[in-house]
Amino acid sequence: MKCSEESTSRNFQEWWTFKYGMIFKNNKALCVLCSESVVCRTSSVKRHFETIHKTLLTKSADELKCFISRALSNKDAQSDKLIKFVKKSDNLVSASFDVAKSIAIRGKPFSDGDFIKMSWLDCADNLFQDFDNKDAIIQRIKDLSISRNTIKERILSMNSNIENQLIHDLNQRSFFSICIDESTDITSSARLSIISRFCINDEVREELIKLASIPAKTTGENICEVVVNVLEDIGLNLSKIISVTTDGAPCMIGKDRGFVNLFSKKIGHPLIGFHCIIHQEALCAKDGLLQYENILKLVTKIVNFINARALNKRQFSLLLEEVNSIHKGLVMYNNVRWLSRGNLLERFVECLHEIRLFLSENQKNYTELTDINWLCNLMFFTDFCLYLNELNLKLQENHKIKYFQHLNKFLSEIEINETPKLDENIKKCLSIIKETIQQFNNRFIDFKKFECNIKFLKCPDTCNFDELDLHYFEWMNIDTFEFELIDLQSCNTWKQKFIDLRQLIEEIEINRLQANAVKNADNEILKV
């Protein structure tokens, strides 16, 4: 009987509220008169009231009830006011973060926050004229803090938060890869980009870890020291790194003192090293067409003559308007951005007639612009650069030029008796195609070496275990890998899953070529 009474007394009793001014909060009885908490027991509640609020004992029952009711009303009003204030404050803080994010993404000055606020206030009166709460909206804009210092703090906070999320994600992964890119910024300082690639559930992610500065020298030892220090400073486990992609420079892939070799020794296991695909394509594009550099120099010289002078540029634009050209001017060439070469040549060829006319009016004589052989080389050079720009390897060594639209059009327009003069040029073009294809084959040897391993990702149901190169994975726990592969290949359910996967990847690639892709092939592989 005593146990039952004790259990009941430990529950909050509703009558405590109007007799002792107690409410239930956080599993305790809270006094609305002094905001002190006591355990939920009648004796404790009564003792608190008679000790702390003994002056109220002289009041009659009705007076005490009225006094406690007013205290309860004030308590509720304070709580509502506090909730509203906190909600309002949270909304203002969230809004200031939104403004800071918008400024950071667009690379605008931090001081633009004040300008944005002034713009909102200037238009708010008219914009919200038909709103019943117009004054409240304008007041909320006035309360929004987006000064220069606030924007700076918000951006730093977001940066810190993103870094913490990335570090957490990387530390949660069993393995991840990194990409290292060494370059020079506009201040001639050596900078090193460290980029991570990892998987979270069914998604492949690529995130920048750090843009670090390099000391005076950029040797393999210096780069390795910088990378190790950066990754260790942010608390990453280096042993989880499985592969490294670089730009292929000697300081990166040198046999003894290259970064990849030194970094591999540092982390204690072999690394899969790759040479960046886009960088290799850029090298193929540059090396394969060196004999056409004289064409590029002359085209660049003519374009600079027209574009570099304001008067010439205006006059040439007017000329294009007079002939109803779809173009407004020429494209400049940037040696650093090699993709601009194809764009420069394409625009030059499409405006060739207007360029000849303009140069003639300005008494500039370039005999190359009327030379059949030079023009043939120009057309081929243009088409070839455009194909390299699009990373399209449709070029076939079949002595046909149907894929070279500018060259094909040019040959169709010249006179028949001029054609024999171009035979040598056509042979030269075909030899360049052959040499470039050979360069692609030589430069992409790294991927051929891992061809079976890469194929395994999509075709584990048909791969032969003996053909896999597991040298780089021996440090992992792969003792049972062969038996697991046998189990997979003997299961019709799993075999069908990968058959369906390959069909899906084919559809994704077709959609990607048609510029309407909605799925990522890597992510689909991860799902299976």
Side-chain angles (χ1 to χ4, degrees):
M1 185 66 182
K2 289 183 179 180
C3 293
S4 177
E5 290 177 352
E6 182 67 19
S7 175
T8 303
S9 66
R10 288 303 178 98
N11 296 327
F12 184 83
Q13 306 297 316
E14 296 292 340
W15 58 271
W16 293 348
T17 301
F18 291 102
K19 186 170 184 178
Y20 299 120
M22 291 290 180
I23 60 174
F24 185 68
K25 188 173 182 180
N26 296 331
N27 294 322
K28 289 187 177 182
L30 176 68
C31 179
V32 297
L33 305 176
C34 65
S35 299
E36 185 175 333
S37 298
V38 296
V39 296
C40 290
R41 189 164 49 217
T42 301
S43 58
S44 299
V45 170
K46 182 179 180 182
R47 186 185 308 111
H48 169 81
F49 183 78
E50 293 177 347
T51 303
I52 305 300
H53 306 292
K54 57 184 178 181
T55 56
L56 299 178
L57 296 176
T58 59
K59 294 181 179 292
S60 65
D62 291 338
E63 289 176 336
L64 181 60
K65 185 176 181 180
C66 183
F67 182 84
I68 292 176
S69 295
R70 287 198 300 269
L72 286 170
S73 299
N74 292 334
K75 183 72 175 178
D76 293 339
Q78 290 175 1
S79 298
D80 291 342
K81 188 174 181 180
L82 179 62
I83 290 172
K84 290 179 180 178
F85 173 78
V86 170
K87 184 177 180 181
K88 174 184 175 183
S89 177
D90 287 345
N91 291 340
L92 290 172
V93 171
S94 298
S96 67
F97 271 104
D98 290 334
V99 175
K101 179 183 177 182
S102 180
I103 289 175
I105 289 175
R106 291 163 178 80
K108 298 295 183 180
F110 296 164
S111 57
D112 276 9
D114 290 326
F115 170 74
I116 292 172
K117 184 175 180 177
M118 290 173 58
S119 301
W120 286 349
L121 290 174
D122 288 342
C123 69
D125 193 55
N126 292 322
L127 185 61
F128 304 110
Q129 185 65 43
D130 55 341
F131 280 51
D132 295 335
N133 60 338
K134 182 187 75 171
D135 294 337
I137 294 175
I138 294 176
Q139 185 59 47
R140 183 62 63 88
I141 296 175
K142 291 179 179 179
D143 293 340
L144 179 61
S145 177
I146 46 178
S147 64
R148 184 183 186 280
N149 288 335
T150 301
I151 295 297
K152 174 185 174 182
E153 291 174 2
R154 297 287 186 257
I155 292 176
L156 291 175
S157 297
M158 287 187 288
N159 178 68
S160 177
N161 180 263
I162 291 172
E163 285 184 352
N164 292 336
Q165 289 186 56
L166 175 59
I167 294 169
H168 176 267
D169 289 341
L170 288 173
N171 282 328
Q172 292 297 312
R173 308 282 72 79
S174 299
F175 309 104
F176 62 93
S177 303
I178 61 172
C179 173
I180 307 296
D181 182 30
E182 184 271 319
S183 188
T184 304
D185 61 17
I186 58 175
T187 64
S188 299
S189 301
R191 306 285 277 175
L192 189 70
S193 301
I194 307 175
I195 304 167
S196 61
R197 181 176 172 90
F198 56 97
C199 304
I200 294 184
N201 298 325
D202 298 337
E203 182 182 2
V204 179
R205 294 188 183 179
E206 290 184 0
E207 301 286 350
L208 175 67
I209 297 178
K210 189 79 172 181
L211 183 62
S213 298
I214 308 178
K217 295 183 179 180
T218 56
T219 62
E221 292 92 336
N222 296 129
I223 295 174
C224 183
E225 182 180 0
V226 170
V227 173
V228 170
N229 290 339
V230 166
L231 299 183
E232 288 183 343
D233 287 345
I234 62 177
L236 290 182
N237 186 352
L238 302 184
S239 64
K240 292 184 177 182
I241 299 176
I242 192 171
S243 72
V244 177
T245 301
T246 67
D247 59 7
C251 64
M252 291 288 188
I253 60 174
K255 183 178 180 181
D256 297 320
R257 305 181 66 181
F259 162 75
V260 176
N261 181 57
L262 296 174
F263 191 62
S264 176
K265 292 179 179 178
K266 178 67 179 179
I267 64 178
H269 64 73
L271 285 171
I272 304 174
F274 289 109
H275 184 173
C276 171
I277 297 176
I278 295 179
H279 185 262
Q280 292 191 77
E281 289 172 338
L283 293 176
C284 289
K286 289 181 178 180
D287 297 343
L289 299 168
L290 289 177
Q291 51 194 304
Y292 285 138
E293 284 299 308
N294 62 325
I295 296 178
L296 184 61
K297 288 180 180 178
L298 180 58
V299 170
T300 304
K301 181 180 178 180
I302 295 173
V303 171
N304 288 342
F305 169 74
I306 297 175
N307 277 357
R309 302 178 185 180
L311 178 60
N312 289 349
K313 188 174 183 179
R314 289 197 301 271
Q315 290 178 341
F316 186 72
S317 297
L318 290 173
L319 175 60
L320 292 176
E321 289 182 10
E322 290 176 3
V323 297
N324 296 322
S325 173
I326 62 173
H327 303 298
K328 302 298 182 182
L330 300 177
V331 178
M332 300 290 285
Y333 173 57
N334 186 336
N335 186 45
V336 176
R337 300 181 182 276
W338 67 274
L339 289 174
S340 66
R341 177 171 57 183
N343 299 330
L344 164 80
L345 294 169
E346 182 181 31
R347 183 66 59 83
F348 187 88
V349 167
E350 292 177 352
C351 298
L352 184 58
H353 177 71
E354 290 80 6
I355 291 172
R356 285 174 179 157
L357 182 59
F358 182 80
L359 294 176
S360 177
E361 291 176 352
N362 286 270
Q363 299 180 351
K364 292 288 183 179
N365 183 28
Y366 292 98
T367 58
E368 291 88 348
L369 297 183
T370 56
D371 182 83
I372 296 297
N373 287 311
W374 190 89
L375 290 172
C376 178
N377 290 332
L378 170 66
M379 300 303 169
F380 172 77
F381 189 27
T382 301
D383 288 325
F384 200 61
C385 288
L386 288 174
Y387 274 103
L388 289 173
N389 279 11
E390 299 169 1
L391 308 179
N392 191 331
L393 301 182
K394 289 190 290 186
L395 308 177
Q396 300 294 326
E397 193 182 347
N398 56 8
H399 289 229
K400 293 183 180 180
I401 58 173
K402 63 179 181 180
Y403 293 119
F404 297 84
Q405 55 179 350
H406 293 94
L407 177 58
N408 198 27
K409 180 181 177 182
F410 173 74
L411 293 178
S412 66
E413 292 176 350
I414 65 174
E415 298 179 4
I416 298 178
N417 58 356
E418 298 284 354
T419 304
K421 300 179 182 178
L422 299 175
D423 289 344
E424 290 299 320
N425 290 75
I426 299 299
K427 291 180 181 179
K428 181 180 179 182
C429 294
L430 293 172
S431 66
I432 290 175
I433 295 174
K434 183 177 180 180
E435 291 172 6
T436 306
I437 291 175
Q438 186 60 45
Q439 282 197 43
F440 272 98
N441 291 333
N442 294 338
R443 288 194 177 277
F444 288 92
I445 191 171
D446 290 344
F447 295 93
K448 291 184 177 180
K449 183 171 62 176
F450 294 107
E451 185 173 1
C452 288
N453 288 13
I454 295 173
K455 180 183 176 183
F456 173 81
L457 296 175
K458 294 188 296 183
C459 310
D461 54 317
T462 59
C463 278
N464 187 340
F465 177 82
D466 295 331
E467 295 177 352
L468 296 174
D469 181 7
L470 301 179
H471 165 69
Y472 292 93
F473 309 100
E474 290 177 349
W475 58 278
M476 299 180 183
N477 184 18
I478 58 171
D479 295 338
T480 61
F481 178 72
E482 184 175 7
F483 294 104
E484 292 173 0
L485 183 59
I486 293 173
D487 290 340
L488 183 146
Q489 293 178 345
S490 61
C491 176
N492 291 330
T493 301
W494 275 107
K495 290 169 69 174
Q496 186 60 46
K497 281 183 178 289
F498 283 97
I499 293 173
D500 296 339
L501 172 66
R502 289 191 286 273
Q503 293 177 349
L504 176 60
I505 292 176
E506 183 178 353
E507 293 175 4
I508 292 173
E509 289 300 311
I510 292 174
N511 291 330
R512 184 180 63 82
L513 293 175
Q514 296 173 350
N516 58 358
V518 294
K519 292 184 178 181
N520 183 293
D522 293 344
N523 295 344
E524 297 302 321
I525 294 174
L526 280 177
K527 288 180 182 180
V528 177

